[in-house]
Amino acid sequence: MRRKLAAGNWKMNGTSAALSELETLINAHPTADVDILICPPATLIAQAAKTALKSPVQIGGQDCHSAESGAHTGDISAPMLTDAGASHVILGHSERRENHNESSMLIHDKARTAHQSGLITLICLGESLAQREAGSTLDIIADQLANSTPDGATATNTVIAYEPIWAIGTGLIPTLDQIAEVHDFIRSKLETRFGDQTASGIRLLYGGSVKPGNADEIFAVSNVDGALVGGASLKEADFSPIINALEHAV
Ligand code: PGA
């Protein structure tokens, strides 16, 4: 059985005052039947990890460099994330693929280094609206999955997040059939590459405008093992109902 995962991506939001939301979240979930992850901005990771110690909430980064150290001004390495208390890292988010020209090959190299540092990677895939309208969604997903995921991926170190770019921050979501189609496709591609046993353990998250009001129906979709949540993860009052919906879907 795959343990479900509710992951929050705070993106470039939050100064230390935002840690009170994390505290409220922790207090609302003294125990949990699902994994809960918050990925705050890098400046808050160490404080967040201390706050979340001995709670069911885990802390992750939003990116890391492909090298373990070196002359890379402004970058953060995977060992730095683990040292700060992170257990996970988001890689290949569409905002990084777009804003920082990140290729799937680069994301692959980042993931390999992150795995070597003991981090669980959340590797993000997703098509643009133009690509969906052109009927090339599955080709794009296949290409991003094949080239972003390193050979050493396992159910323990890798989570895949399907995030249609046009659904992120827009309030739009694909139909449930469209979500099922892509998630089933990702599962079958993982089976072909890694074998049924490994593939059956890798969690697949849906991301893009997940809210308390649509979480139940999304979590009922085949091969959806949780969500990667942006805007609705910033406030405990929005994120908790999503976590609760995922617990009820277990
Ligand atoms: P959103 O973002 O929930 O605000 O649409 C999702 C994401 O980018 O992970």
Side-chain angles (χ1 to χ4, degrees):
M1 272 305 287
R2 295 183 290 275
R3 190 169 160 88
K4 312 256 176 179
L5 169 60
N9 172 12
W10 283 6
K11 308 191 180 182
M12 198 173 72
N13 296 294
T15 56
S16 41
L19 292 170
S20 66
E21 285 296 328
L22 178 64
E23 278 171 33
T24 312
L25 183 73
I26 289 166
N27 291 334
H29 303 274
T31 61
D33 294 334
V34 298
D35 286 345
I36 305 172
L37 173 69
I38 291 288
C39 299
T43 47
L44 293 182
I45 289 174
Q47 277 175 278
K50 276 198 197 105
T51 305
L53 211 64
K54 299 200 178 83
S55 88
V57 178
Q58 296 178 289
I59 301 300
Q62 298 175 11
D63 178 49
C64 68
H65 198 276
S66 58
E68 290 195 352
S69 63
H72 303 288
T73 302
D75 280 313
I76 293 173
S77 72
M80 290 171 185
L81 289 178
T82 48
D83 181 56
S87 51
H88 295 63
V89 64
I90 298 169
L91 293 175
H93 191 283
S94 61
E95 287 152 15
R96 294 212 57 92
R97 288 182 189 260
E98 280 180 17
N99 301 347
H100 298 269
N101 286 320
E102 293 197 4
S103 66
S104 290
M105 269 333 250
L106 177 63
I107 292 152
H108 165 279
D109 292 350
K110 290 181 175 200
R112 205 178 39 193
T113 307
H115 290 162
Q116 283 162 0
S117 303
L119 290 167
I120 300 168
T121 53
L122 279 68
I123 298 175
C124 302
L125 321 170
E127 82 286 2
S128 68
L129 188 57
Q131 289 163 338
R132 174 156 287 276
E133 286 173 351
S136 50
T137 296
L138 296 184
D139 290 340
I140 296 294
I141 296 300
D143 179 78
Q144 291 179 347
L145 180 67
N147 292 312
S148 307
T149 312
D151 277 342
T154 66
T156 315
N157 68 18
T158 301
V159 176
I160 303 293
Y162 169 55
E163 299 204 303
I165 297 169
W166 51 275
I168 294 175
T170 58
L172 302 171
I173 61 165
T175 66
L176 301 180
D177 284 348
Q178 286 172 329
I179 296 175
E181 180 188 35
V182 175
H183 280 238
D184 291 352
F185 179 76
I186 293 171
R187 180 80 61 210
S188 75
K189 287 286 172 192
L190 291 172
E191 282 165 0
T192 306
R193 177 160 169 201
F194 295 106
D196 288 2
Q197 202 184 334
T198 295
S200 69
I202 294 180
R203 290 169 296 176
L204 308 184
L205 308 185
Y206 168 77
S209 296
V210 177
K211 307 286 176 208
N214 60 22
D216 278 323
E217 58 178 19
I218 292 171
F219 294 150
V221 173
S222 128
N223 276 316
V224 172
D225 304 310
L228 179 53
V229 184
S233 72
L234 293 172
K235 296 274 175 246
E236 182 277 332
D238 295 325
F239 198 38
S240 273
I242 295 172
I243 295 169
N244 295 339
L246 190 59
E247 288 189 314
H248 296 140
V250 169

